[in-house]
Amino acid sequence: MSKKILVTGPDLDPSAVALVKDHGYETVHTPAYADSDVISRLLVETGAEGIVSRMGRLDADVLEKAPKLRVISKHGVGVDNIDLQAAASRGIPVLVATGANAVSVAEHAIALMLATVKRILPLDAGLRAGRWEKAGFLGRELAGSRLGLLGMGSIAQATGRIAKGIGLNLIGYDPYADNDVFERLGVKRCSSLEELLEQSDVLSLHCPLTDQTRQILNAEAIARMPEGSYVINTARGGLIDEDALLAAIQSGHLAGAGLDTFAVEPPQANHPFFSENRIVVTPHIGGVTREAGARVGVEAVRGIFQVLDGQPVARERIANRALLADAGAMYAKAGE
């Protein structure tokens, strides 16, 4: 009987499935956004040695019921749905597919920015409803505006490269990034979050969701942004205080927002964002392209087999490497 890799969510790209089969394993899938009981049951039934984490939470209770589990690999880079400490306490590394979906997510961030600033959706709806709104319309040119990048990882860098082609000026804040990351892209480095907020005509969020960044864009932070500015979020919905964002748009302080993520996913059918046409929303699909899916799937699976085969893993791919120091130094030092 083949050994198992559990995938929490839909099918992997065929290239990733082929890699699983080449190693003598097969994939077993949970339903999308399965609850902990379902994930735990499948882990016990299959004896899965690895998890490709796509949808659903992997908390301490789930990990407690997975005695054969040796590695978790995120299908992407956001690990807020995984209990990193619980995994580390069991010597389980949590891997991310760094950079594999950067181009696709960056393209989506730019698409959300253009759709929001250029008012594409309400203009489209008006025309389809029989209105010719040219006489009363006044748009906005983006060239020469300041795009603020909160976080300077691979997705932010890809977003910045595209934005430069449109003529935006780039500013950024990331206390953990080296200066050369800013210099290579021609990004003005802000010394504080407050400086970034105050200078961003468009603010694009690219930081992970942690205890420190949860609702980092709250009412106080939004108040620092220029009047008539915009927010774009292709990272994690929990970075934003959704009530504060909506209030700022309805008051006119913010001109709009383009959002691919929500604090709770999927959102309720009556979510207040849906009745505000200055907010463009999509269902967390920025990285869901054929090209990114292939790269992310292969990287996620490759990472699993690197761990199972005792091969080194690049340090930057181990999301809980610091937490693993006590539980397994081999993972904390992998790739050094």
Side-chain angles (χ1 to χ4, degrees):
M1 182 180 294
S2 296
K3 293 181 284 188
K4 305 296 193 297
I5 301 295
L6 184 69
V7 182
T8 57
D11 291 343
L12 300 175
D13 185 83
S15 57
V17 175
L19 186 57
V20 171
K21 291 180 179 177
D22 287 345
H23 283 77
Y25 284 70
E26 64 177 283
T27 56
V28 176
H29 295 261
T30 73
Y33 298 105
D35 61 28
S36 296
D37 289 341
V38 172
I39 297 173
S40 296
R41 177 175 56 77
L42 285 171
L43 281 169
V44 172
E45 290 177 358
T46 63
E49 297 178 41
I51 296 177
V52 177
S53 173
R54 301 197 68 177
M55 302 171 181
R57 294 197 58 79
L58 299 177
D59 54 29
D61 288 340
V62 169
L63 299 182
E64 261 183 30
K65 299 168 185 174
K68 294 186 178 180
L69 184 64
R70 294 174 57 194
V71 56
I72 299 169
S73 193
K74 178 68 179 184
H75 194 273
V77 295
V79 293
D80 50 288
N81 66 316
I82 303 170
D83 190 328
L84 299 182
Q85 181 63 66
S89 69
R90 291 163 176 79
I92 299 171
V94 177
L95 312 182
V96 294
T98 305
N101 65 356
V103 171
S104 289
V105 178
E107 288 177 350
H108 198 72
I110 296 296
L112 285 172
M113 178 181 70
L114 290 171
T116 303
V117 175
K118 299 299 184 179
R119 302 282 290 155
I120 299 298
L121 296 186
L123 288 168
D124 176 88
L127 192 56
R128 291 174 188 272
R131 299 190 301 273
W132 186 260
E133 299 171 296
K134 183 174 181 177
F137 181 76
L138 182 64
R140 176 169 177 172
E141 189 172 89
L142 274 168
S145 297
R146 299 163 297 184
L147 174 63
L149 301 170
L150 179 52
M152 284 297 297
S154 56
I155 296 174
Q157 293 173 47
T159 302
R161 284 191 289 270
I162 301 171
K164 287 184 72 174
I166 301 174
L168 283 99
N169 299 314
L170 306 181
I171 60 176
Y173 174 69
D174 188 333
Y176 305 104
D178 294 333
N179 282 328
D180 64 342
V181 173
F182 293 82
E183 293 167 1
R184 284 198 307 267
L185 197 57
V187 180
K188 174 191 171 184
R189 182 165 199 165
C190 295
S191 59
S192 65
L193 172 61
E194 290 74 20
E195 182 183 354
L196 178 76
L197 294 168
E198 290 164 2
Q199 296 185 24
S200 294
D201 299 310
V202 180
L203 178 67
S204 190
L205 306 184
H206 299 285
C207 53
L209 179 61
T210 66
D211 290 341
Q212 290 71 40
T213 62
R214 189 174 300 278
Q215 294 197 353
I216 192 170
L217 197 65
N218 54 26
E220 181 181 354
I222 292 170
R224 289 182 176 272
M225 296 180 64
E227 187 171 352
S229 53
Y230 298 83
V231 172
I232 306 299
N233 188 14
T234 52
R236 286 294 185 268
L239 297 171
I240 296 175
D241 180 333
E242 293 184 338
D243 291 338
L245 180 73
L246 183 62
I249 290 173
Q250 291 177 336
S251 73
H253 180 69
L254 292 180
L259 310 172
D260 188 42
T261 60
F262 293 80
V264 176
E265 296 182 350
Q268 295 294 319
N270 63 347
H271 195 290
F273 286 174
F274 298 156
S275 59
E276 174 52 70
N277 69 11
R278 287 168 291 186
I279 300 177
V280 177
V281 290
T282 53
H284 206 156
I285 45 74
V288 185
T289 65
R290 182 180 298 106
E291 296 80 4
R295 290 191 298 267
V296 172
V298 167
E299 282 304 300
V301 169
R302 181 179 290 128
I304 285 177
F305 291 117
Q306 284 176 312
V307 172
L308 295 182
D309 295 341
Q311 299 173 4
V313 179
R315 294 181 74 255
E316 64 270 16
R317 290 200 58 195
I318 307 171
N320 61 344
R321 62 181 181 273
L323 298 172
L324 281 163
D326 294 332
M330 64 174 289
Y331 296 121
K333 295 180 179 179
E336 292 186 348

